[in-house]
Amino acid sequence: MTDDPEAYGDLAARHVSLRRVLQLFAPYRARIAGVVTLMVLSSAIGLAGPFLLRAIIDVALPQQDLALLVWLAGGMIAAALASAGIGALQIVLSTRIGQAILHDLRVRLYAHLQTLSLRFFTGTRTGEVQSRIAGDIAGLQSLMTETANELGRSLSAVVMTAVAIVLLDWRLALFVLLIVPVTVLISARVARLREALTYQQQARAADMSAAVEQTLSAPGIILARTMGRGSFLTQHFARISRDLAQLEVRSHTAGEWQWSLIGFSLATLPALTLLAGGILMQTGNPASIGTLVAMIALQEQLLWPFEQLLEVGRDTRKTRALFARIFEYLDKPVEITERVDAITIPRAEMRGEVALDHVRFAYSEGHGPAVQDVSLTIPAGSHVAIVGPTGSGKTTLGYLLARLYDVDGGAISFDGVDLRDLSFETLSQMLGVVSQEPYLLNASVAENLRFARPEASMDQLIEAAKVAQIHDHIAALPEGYETLVGEGGSRFSGGEKQRLALARTILRDPPILLLDEATSALDTRTERAMSQALDGLSKGRTTITIAHRLSTIREADLIVVMQRGRVVETGSHASLAAKGGVYAGLLAGA
């Protein structure tokens, strides 16, 4: 953690400009204009009080005019009441606008993250993503509601009061207005420092979120307990928490002496005004007692909104660091895009033919290709197995088939159409994927299955579960298909989770089925039963199996053997076993 917070401020400045922030408010221009009108009206009405006060002191009281006194006092009360009522309405409206803008920003960020390729998520901590969506946007709550409201109200009050002070007595007004530039400069300095510290705070808060996400999950607890590393993790968390606490202290106390100087300067204004009034009495054009009292009343009326305005400026600079972190994610380029003229294939016309033409892909520059020069034709309705040692590129090929990454060279096509030309909806209907690490939502079994097909009936859920050999287990549960699966499917075993994931994919009924180690967590008996079910399911459907366990793919129409990103052998089980090559070596080591 650097001791030079201003370096973080430079990063924030690169991502945030005032125009970019104001663009968030653009859809609400009409409503914002209404709120601003209410602010100005409230401030204008509030200014009537000091002028009525001057009239009471200089006219009504000296002349002992009770009727005039009643009217003037009543006017002060009416002005205060109207100002308070309008102010309350303005707060309600501005709060609604602020929450609407935050809602738009949250949804925009979430939607953008949904469009990023798998490359972004494999290189980013889950806790970091959650911190940006939840923590950083939550940190803008005060800006979008209280701070924005105070900014408008204080700004209008300061401007209107400054005008009134000048109209009251321009000579006395000089003592007020000359002190403003000094206080603004001091406030700007404090704001820059706190902005930089806020960026560090949020970065460290993201570290904490990631630590909690990784170590306080069920797998994290199991790892810590079995490795005896609980105390180490606690110490690591304590270091992060200590850094965050120190940053919180620095953020709230940075520039406090300068800020106290501002408070002192503003507090001396009434004394300076009275001193100036005394000096003017020695001239031929003195200020009246009523003018002095009204001037001090206006100063009091000015000091609070002016202090609020300075604080808003300081807090707004702090929140720019939050905007910087949010915009940093919004600026992430979308690698996987749908073309404007994307091709849509009706479900009834999908055949399931797959072709790879000299496909090449590398995860990053400077690293060797994970897949290189792979060409393969998979006829519709056939069963193709892809095997190879660890790191041979099998799973990467699966990612490319699902278009979780785009190929760097060559092309992959379904039914003769390049994946990059297909609409996202068509691609999701054509290909169903069951991975070696199935993901289940923390919801009921039925909700997890219907994630693939929301309109599916209960009979359809049961039919898919039976094919995946999981129905009997679900039916035996006390709540059946309404049973909650737990976080990450924690209430089910690895094999049960894989069968639930398979049932979910079967429910979608894709013409192409990609099984990436989908039976790796099944016992031999269940694997045999599900293999038989899949044989029936695979009729008329293209099945691509990525497997380590070679016993599951002996009956495949074609076995593709990969090594170091290349296809090195193809053929049936019998021919490859007799060949004595890489596949035979895998069989010998199985």
Side-chain angles (χ1 to χ4, degrees):
M1 185 176 61
T2 179
D3 290 328
D4 181 15
E6 305 226 359
Y8 288 85
D10 293 339
L11 177 60
R14 288 201 298 271
H15 287 279
V16 181
S17 67
L18 180 59
R19 175 179 295 180
R20 192 172 187 185
V21 173
L22 291 178
Q23 286 175 349
L24 300 174
F25 295 79
Y28 304 92
R29 282 190 294 260
R31 279 186 272 180
I32 292 172
V35 170
V36 170
T37 301
L38 290 176
M39 290 177 177
V40 173
L41 183 59
S42 176
S43 299
I45 293 174
L47 290 179
F51 287 92
L52 293 172
L53 178 61
R54 181 174 68 171
I56 289 174
I57 294 174
D58 287 345
V59 181
L61 290 179
Q63 296 178 5
Q64 298 183 353
D65 188 337
L66 183 59
L68 179 59
L69 178 61
V70 170
W71 275 106
L72 293 173
M76 292 180 69
I77 294 172
L81 182 61
S83 181
I86 294 173
L89 177 60
Q90 166 250 312
I91 288 174
V92 171
L93 294 178
S94 61
T95 300
R96 289 179 179 176
I97 294 172
Q99 290 303 318
I101 293 171
L102 285 177
H103 165 73
D104 292 345
L105 188 58
R106 273 194 299 265
V107 173
R108 178 183 168 192
L109 180 58
Y110 182 87
H112 181 73
L113 289 171
Q114 284 282 353
T115 65
L116 299 183
S117 75
L118 190 61
R119 193 191 313 272
F120 168 79
F121 294 97
T122 55
T124 305
R125 300 171 302 179
T126 303
E128 176 74 24
V129 175
Q130 292 176 344
S131 175
R132 306 272 175 136
I133 292 181
D136 292 347
I137 292 182
L140 297 175
Q141 290 277 358
S142 60
L143 172 69
M144 294 299 190
T145 53
E146 299 172 13
T147 305
N149 178 61
E150 290 298 337
L151 174 62
R153 186 166 60 178
S154 299
L155 184 60
S156 62
V158 166
V159 171
M160 298 294 288
T161 305
V163 171
I165 286 175
V166 173
L167 292 175
L168 196 61
D169 192 310
W170 68 270
R171 299 167 300 175
L172 295 176
L174 290 177
F175 288 95
V176 178
L177 302 181
L178 287 178
I179 203 171
V180 170
V182 177
T183 58
V184 170
L185 289 174
I186 295 174
S187 177
R189 164 64 183 170
V190 175
R192 278 196 303 271
L193 184 59
R194 294 193 178 183
E195 173 190 1
L197 287 169
T198 298
Y199 196 94
Q200 291 189 64
Q201 278 179 272
Q202 293 303 116
R204 210 58 177 142
D207 291 339
M208 179 178 290
S209 178
V212 170
E213 173 74 21
Q214 293 171 5
T215 61
L216 291 185
S217 60
I221 291 295
I222 292 172
L223 178 64
R225 297 276 174 84
T226 56
M227 294 291 180
R229 298 288 279 171
S231 60
F232 167 78
L233 293 176
T234 300
Q235 292 171 8
H236 176 67
F237 182 83
R239 283 196 300 272
I240 298 174
S241 179
R242 183 170 57 251
D243 290 345
L244 186 58
Q246 291 173 350
L247 285 168
E248 288 281 356
V249 171
R250 292 176 64 191
S251 176
H252 287 89
T253 59
E256 202 58 40
W257 287 108
Q258 296 97 314
W259 196 253
S260 298
L261 181 60
I262 293 175
F264 169 76
S265 301
L266 295 177
T268 60
L269 280 178
L272 292 174
T273 300
L274 292 174
L275 179 59
I279 294 173
L280 289 176
M281 287 182 181
Q282 307 301 317
T283 68
N285 188 18
S288 68
I289 299 298
T291 298
L292 286 174
V293 173
M295 180 65 73
I296 292 174
L298 279 172
Q299 288 175 2
E300 292 294 331
Q301 196 164 312
L302 173 68
L303 293 185
W304 177 79
F306 185 65
E307 286 183 350
Q308 288 294 110
L309 201 57
L310 293 178
E311 289 182 9
V312 165
R314 182 185 65 185
D315 293 342
T316 302
R317 286 293 297 267
K318 286 175 60 179
T319 55
R320 195 172 74 156
L322 303 180
F323 276 118
R325 287 169 53 80
I326 294 168
F327 289 151
E328 186 180 353
Y329 269 17
L330 287 174
D331 291 339
K332 296 287 184 183
V334 178
E335 298 179 33
I336 309 297
T337 58
E338 183 180 65
R339 295 188 176 175
V340 177
D341 56 346
I343 297 173
T344 299
I345 302 176
R347 176 65 182 88
E349 299 178 12
M350 295 178 183
R351 304 187 311 276
E353 178 185 296
V354 180
L356 293 86
D357 182 22
H358 298 287
V359 170
R360 177 173 51 81
F361 175 78
Y363 282 102
S364 60
E365 294 183 7
H367 291 77
V371 171
Q372 51 183 328
D373 197 30
V374 173
S375 294
L376 186 66
T377 298
I378 303 175
S382 63
H383 180 193
V384 172
I386 302 175
V387 302
T390 300
S392 61
K394 306 186 303 296
T395 297
T396 299
L397 201 60
Y399 289 156
L400 295 173
L401 287 168
R403 209 191 169 196
L404 297 175
Y405 296 98
D406 270 341
V407 298
D408 294 333
I412 298 175
S413 60
F414 288 171
D415 289 348
V417 181
D418 193 310
L419 290 189
R420 293 165 290 190
D421 295 331
L422 284 174
S423 67
F424 287 157
E425 180 63 24
T426 296
L427 178 59
S428 68
Q429 288 182 354
M430 290 193 75
L431 179 70
V433 179
V434 181
S435 67
Q436 57 185 315
E437 297 179 1
Y439 181 77
L440 299 178
L441 304 171
N442 188 12
S444 68
V445 171
E447 287 175 294
N448 270 279
L449 296 180
R450 286 198 175 101
F451 190 78
R453 191 175 171 188
E455 74 282 1
S457 66
M458 182 54 68
D459 289 340
Q460 290 171 322
L461 299 187
I462 292 173
E463 182 181 354
K466 285 181 177 178
V467 172
Q469 302 292 313
I470 191 64
H471 169 70
D472 292 341
H473 177 75
I474 297 172
L477 297 172
E479 297 180 63
Y481 281 80
E482 296 306 314
T483 302
L484 291 176
V485 303
E487 188 71 31
S490 58
R491 296 185 181 180
F492 290 80
S493 69
E496 290 162 355
K497 286 191 290 186
Q498 285 192 320
R499 282 180 281 167
L500 280 174
L502 180 61
R504 183 171 57 193
T505 301
I506 291 169
L507 191 65
R508 195 162 179 83
D509 190 30
I512 305 172
L513 190 62
L514 175 61
L515 306 176
D516 184 2
E517 306 287 354
T519 60
S520 62
L522 302 182
D523 57 75
T524 303
R525 179 180 176 183
T526 305
E527 181 184 52
R528 187 180 303 113
M530 192 160 69
S531 295
Q532 293 173 352
L534 284 173
D535 287 341
L537 181 69
S538 297
K539 292 179 180 179
R541 188 188 313 271
T542 305
T543 304
I544 303 172
T545 302
I546 297 174
H548 272 301
R549 292 168 64 173
L550 303 184
S551 59
T552 63
I553 48 89
R554 291 174 181 264
E555 303 302 320
D557 299 321
L558 179 69
I559 297 175
V560 178
V561 184
M562 294 189 68
Q563 189 175 46
R564 297 176 183 173
R566 294 181 179 274
V567 174
V568 293
E569 294 177 351
T570 59
S572 66
H573 167 73
S575 65
L576 291 175
K579 189 176 182 180
V582 176
Y583 184 76
L586 294 174
L587 281 175

